[in-house]
Amino acid sequence: MKIVTKEDYIKSLRDLKANIYYNGRKVEDATAMPGFIPHINSAAKTYELAIMPEYEDLMTAKSHLTGKKISRFTHIHQSVDDLIKKVQMLRLISHETASCYQRCVGFDALNALYMTTYEIDEKHGTSYFKRLEEYLKKIQEENFMLVGGMTDPKGDRSKRPSEQADPDLFTRVVEKRKDGVVIRGAKAHQTGAVNSHEIMIMPTQAMGPGDEAYAIVAAIPLNAKGITMIFGRQTNEERKIECGIDAGNCEFGMVGGEALVVLEDVFVPWERVFMCGEADFTGTLVERFATMHRQNYGGCKGGVADIIVGASALAAQYQGTLGASHVKDKLVEMTHLAETVYSGSVACSALGTRTKSGAYYPDPLLANCTKHNITRHIYEISRLAHDVGGGILATLPFDQDLRHPEIGKYVEKYMKGVAGVSTETRMKILRLLENMTGGTALIESMHGAGSPQSQRVMYQRLGKLPEKMKMAKKLAKIAE
Amino acid sequence: MKRVALKFCGGCDCTYDRAMQWERIRAEAVDKIQWVFLDDAPYDAVLMIHGCPVACPEKHLDPLYAKVLVSVNDDRTESRHIVAKLMEKVFIPHLVCGP
């Protein structure tokens, strides 16, 4: 299997025959499932753009392992330039999809593991790094889609994994065999899982003494025996199934398309295990994965915000308010916020550093700031979009009303804006705006890549408060 | 026929349609230029089409390429002028592989 085109990708998913449930029913063919098709189209865009000469500079990279041209989503960052190109690539794809295209999670997992397995081997004399390099060669050659599986259900958050009433609420090793391990548990909110080929499970948090069974990293095919995926419900997903104006963006997803991935005694051979019991490195791995994922958000959400700004301006134009000074000012503010989040992603990339493994790593404090800004600025951008778009965003009649033989004329007449723009065109842009600025789309900005509090914890650790106190003392001439 | 290597920037946030600009240049250069990619050295000149003035691919370009490079950052320059510039470039024998 080598995936090059969108068609290759869809065929490979059809052949996978993973065990998936949607709204109480087993899915026989994921590629024919209307609820999945927008997410498949979004991920497919990463394949389509990579073979277009005008995008290959961002969408592809040269493998440091084989020297071959590969998808950037399977690349290990070899320079600061690579880190910046990652962010530029994400903005580009967002412009094409106005959605999440899901592949960054696996991308970030590979990079975080590359630098961490190198250091695990150095300390413990294990051979995870070599195994990972072999896995990388495979994914770079076959170009399959990998889910980065970090988040465990976690049960009672006040208790450690080994203290839970149900030990499976954190994913764990239940048996070690000569040829591999048996894993039980679940990964929650897994972006792109139902249209991916494999999952890289990782510990959800730093593990302490007694939690060694939970210090497990492994790559598992999503059609492996014992895996069940249950798709998560999203806001207005029935509209995607209708495929009309009301979906707003019926070709692509609203966010990534998330699933609960259940692992019921799944066997994984040793060559696919990249950590097993080294609890002392779980914190490092989680922090690195989080940093690399938080680096992304000014790129992807910045690109999505560009579309929201454009759609807001069109909505204003279609109702004759684009020239109003307060509308222009709101569009300026939205642009300011979008470029602010983008600049955060570029900045943490520009200050990236080389790790012992040779892979490059973004500045963790700035990456966390970037994601934290997303939890605020995307909400503010969306608030301003609602302000500019007007109450009609919430009260617009159905697409079918516009097409109705008796009442269609009323919708046509009373939903009309400026001359020269059809009611249908106006409705299309209002629905796009509605789709991108509410419900699931906003919650993803809040909690994707970690909830706001997890970034604030990083500020406490990385914010250099003692140094700042020293600087203040020096300027205030305080000697004690 | 001149042999010219074409390179696009990655297109993260373009200020114009690069593909359209390329189509205009290609139409202008019919019977004058054979287009190849950077990996297909040797060539007489390099055309780089950037989406904005940042021109990312040029940041790490070997200075030798300046002599054979024609850089496009917008769609305001007429394609005939771009093709004329490309036709002025002269093959440098030791430029045997892409930047």
Side-chain angles (χ1 to χ4, degrees):
Chain A
M1 176 183 70
K2 181 178 172 67
I3 303 171
V4 177
T5 64
K6 177 180 181 177
E7 291 71 32
D8 294 340
Y9 168 57
I10 290 173
K11 181 181 181 306
S12 67
L13 290 180
R14 197 178 297 125
D15 293 345
L16 196 69
K17 300 190 189 309
N19 186 29
I20 308 170
Y21 283 80
Y22 180 95
N23 194 15
R25 290 188 188 142
K26 186 171 165 59
V27 176
E28 295 304 325
D29 177 2
T31 66
M33 181 73 210
F36 299 168
I37 289 171
H39 307 297
I40 292 171
N41 287 339
S42 298
K45 194 54 90 173
T46 67
Y47 293 99
E48 291 179 284
L49 293 174
I51 52 175
M52 295 173 72
E54 60 266 44
Y55 300 116
E56 68 169 9
D57 199 60
L58 293 179
M59 298 298 301
T60 65
K62 185 177 174 179
S63 168
H64 72 294
L65 296 173
T66 64
K68 291 182 182 171
K69 189 201 280 189
I70 55 169
S71 164
R72 186 171 296 281
F73 283 104
T74 65
H75 184 50
I76 299 298
H77 311 298
Q78 297 297 300
S79 63
V80 161
D81 198 45
D82 272 346
L83 291 173
I84 293 173
K85 279 186 169 172
K86 175 195 188 193
V87 172
Q88 291 177 310
M89 171 182 73
L90 299 177
R91 191 174 191 178
L92 157 67
I93 311 171
S94 290
H95 287 173
E96 295 287 323
T97 61
S99 178
C100 169
Y101 23 90
Q102 314 139 33
R103 285 184 79 184
C104 61
V105 203
F107 185 15
D108 296 330
L110 291 173
N111 275 274
L113 280 169
Y114 192 82
M115 48 192 81
T116 306
T117 52
Y118 185 92
E119 291 165 24
I120 297 175
D121 289 358
E122 205 176 48
K123 182 176 175 187
H124 292 289
T126 44
S127 55
Y128 297 126
F129 184 74
K130 189 69 200 159
R131 278 185 201 166
L132 187 72
E133 280 197 323
E134 292 306 313
Y135 184 77
L136 272 170
K137 285 179 194 166
K138 178 180 166 63
I139 193 170
Q140 289 180 350
E141 177 61 26
E142 297 179 11
N143 199 15
F144 57 81
M145 187 162 153
L146 177 71
V147 184
M150 180 157 278
T151 308
D152 285 345
K154 294 197 281 282
D156 181 346
R157 269 69 167 167
S158 70
K159 293 187 165 67
R160 298 205 57 80
S162 51
E163 297 167 349
Q164 296 287 325
D166 181 347
D168 299 342
L169 291 172
F170 285 75
T171 303
R172 65 192 179 116
V173 174
V174 290
E175 186 186 352
K176 280 188 189 176
R177 296 182 190 165
K178 197 176 174 185
D179 52 350
V181 292
V182 178
I183 295 169
R184 189 186 302 158
K187 291 291 174 185
H189 327 300
Q190 293 303 293
T191 298
V194 299
N195 51 292
S196 291
H197 306 90
E198 298 205 1
I199 184 168
M200 182 72 80
I201 62 158
M202 297 171 282
T204 196
Q205 64 186 42
M207 301 294 172
D211 293 332
E212 287 80 6
Y214 299 88
I216 177 71
V217 176
I220 311 171
L222 282 161
N223 60 354
K225 190 181 171 199
I227 291 189
T228 300
M229 289 187 269
I230 305 165
F231 194 73
R233 185 152 211 191
Q234 299 185 344
T235 312
N236 296 334
E237 82 274 77
E238 302 93 341
R239 297 192 195 183
K240 299 276 184 190
I241 296 166
E242 291 167 14
C243 244
I245 290 176
D246 291 351
N249 177 11
C250 73
E251 187 177 355
F252 301 106
M254 176 182 284
V255 289
E258 281 70 26
L260 176 69
V261 179
V262 178
L263 302 121
E264 189 67 35
D265 294 343
V266 177
F267 174 75
V268 185
W270 283 115
E271 64 266 25
R272 285 174 160 270
V273 175
F274 309 108
M275 174 192 280
C276 188
E278 292 80 9
D280 51 337
F281 277 92
T282 49
T284 303
L285 177 63
V286 171
E287 184 176 321
R288 283 176 169 164
F289 172 76
T291 292
M292 308 214 66
H293 206 44
R294 289 167 193 171
Q295 171 206 10
N296 300 342
Y297 270 65
C300 62
K301 296 295 180 196
V304 166
D306 290 335
I307 308 291
I308 297 175
V309 176
S312 301
L314 285 167
Q317 187 181 60
Y318 296 166
Q319 61 203 23
T321 57
L322 185 57
S325 61
H326 71 95
V327 170
K328 286 194 273 190
D329 190 54
K330 283 161 192 160
L331 293 170
V332 164
E333 178 65 12
M334 291 162 78
T335 303
H336 162 73
L337 294 169
E339 296 299 338
T340 298
V341 295
Y342 182 63
S343 63
S345 284
V346 172
C348 69
S349 306
L351 293 184
T353 49
R354 191 175 188 276
T355 62
K356 283 184 185 176
S357 68
Y360 274 70
Y361 181 59
D363 181 276
L365 181 58
L366 294 186
N368 277 277
C369 290
T370 302
K371 172 65 218 323
H372 204 61
N373 276 335
I374 293 293
T375 68
R376 299 172 175 176
H377 292 354
I378 297 299
Y379 279 73
E380 179 63 6
I381 288 169
S382 299
R383 188 185 73 80
L384 290 165
H386 295 169
D387 188 349
V388 171
I392 195 170
L393 282 167
T395 62
L396 200 60
F398 285 70
D399 184 8
Q400 288 305 314
D401 293 331
L402 176 67
R403 298 180 199 293
H404 194 276
E406 287 174 37
I407 61 166
K409 63 189 177 193
Y410 298 130
V411 178
E412 181 72 45
K413 177 181 169 74
Y414 292 110
M415 293 298 114
K416 174 89 175 148
V418 297
V421 176
S422 71
T423 298
E424 182 175 338
T425 294
R426 186 178 179 218
M427 287 175 71
K428 279 181 178 173
I429 211 71
L430 289 167
R431 286 295 183 207
L432 175 64
L433 207 49
E434 182 203 14
N435 168 267
M436 295 180 70
T437 55
T440 311
L442 281 180
I443 297 164
E444 204 282 332
S445 289
M446 179 66 75
H447 294 289
S451 306
Q453 189 56 29
S454 60
Q455 290 118 48
R456 299 182 83 83
V457 168
M458 294 299 287
Y459 292 169
Q460 287 173 21
R461 282 192 45 214
L462 302 170
K464 301 183 281 285
L465 192 58
E467 284 79 4
K468 286 167 185 165
M469 291 161 79
K470 254 189 233 170
M471 287 189 281
K473 270 184 161 180
K474 183 181 167 190
L475 284 163
K477 313 293 182 200
I478 297 171
E480 59 194 59
Chain B
M1 292 265 278
K2 284 265 182 188
R3 195 172 154 85
V4 178
L6 171 69
K7 170 77 179 170
F8 287 97
C9 78
C12 67
D13 194 23
C14 299
T15 56
Y16 69 101
D17 188 332
R18 293 170 306 147
M20 286 279 284
Q21 176 71 330
W22 153 241
E23 283 303 325
R24 284 190 286 268
I25 295 166
R26 187 165 68 166
E28 185 70 34
V30 169
D31 301 330
K32 295 177 190 163
I33 290 174
Q34 179 195 359
W35 298 100
V36 297
F37 292 108
L38 276 180
D39 293 338
D40 303 326
Y43 26 74
D44 303 298
V46 176
L47 173 67
M48 286 197 171
I49 302 181
H50 308 296
C52 73
V54 178
C56 292
E58 288 184 30
K59 278 191 274 186
H60 307 293
L61 199 62
D62 187 322
L64 276 175
Y65 279 85
K67 294 182 179 177
V68 294
L69 175 69
V70 173
S71 189
V72 175
N73 300 334
D74 58 53
D75 57 359
R76 294 189 296 276
T77 311
E78 286 186 36
S79 50
R80 63 192 169 93
H81 294 309
I82 296 165
V83 172
K85 273 192 202 171
L86 287 167
M87 297 304 288
E88 287 168 12
K89 301 294 178 188
V90 179
F91 171 65
I92 300 175
H94 52 272
L95 278 185
V96 292
C97 58

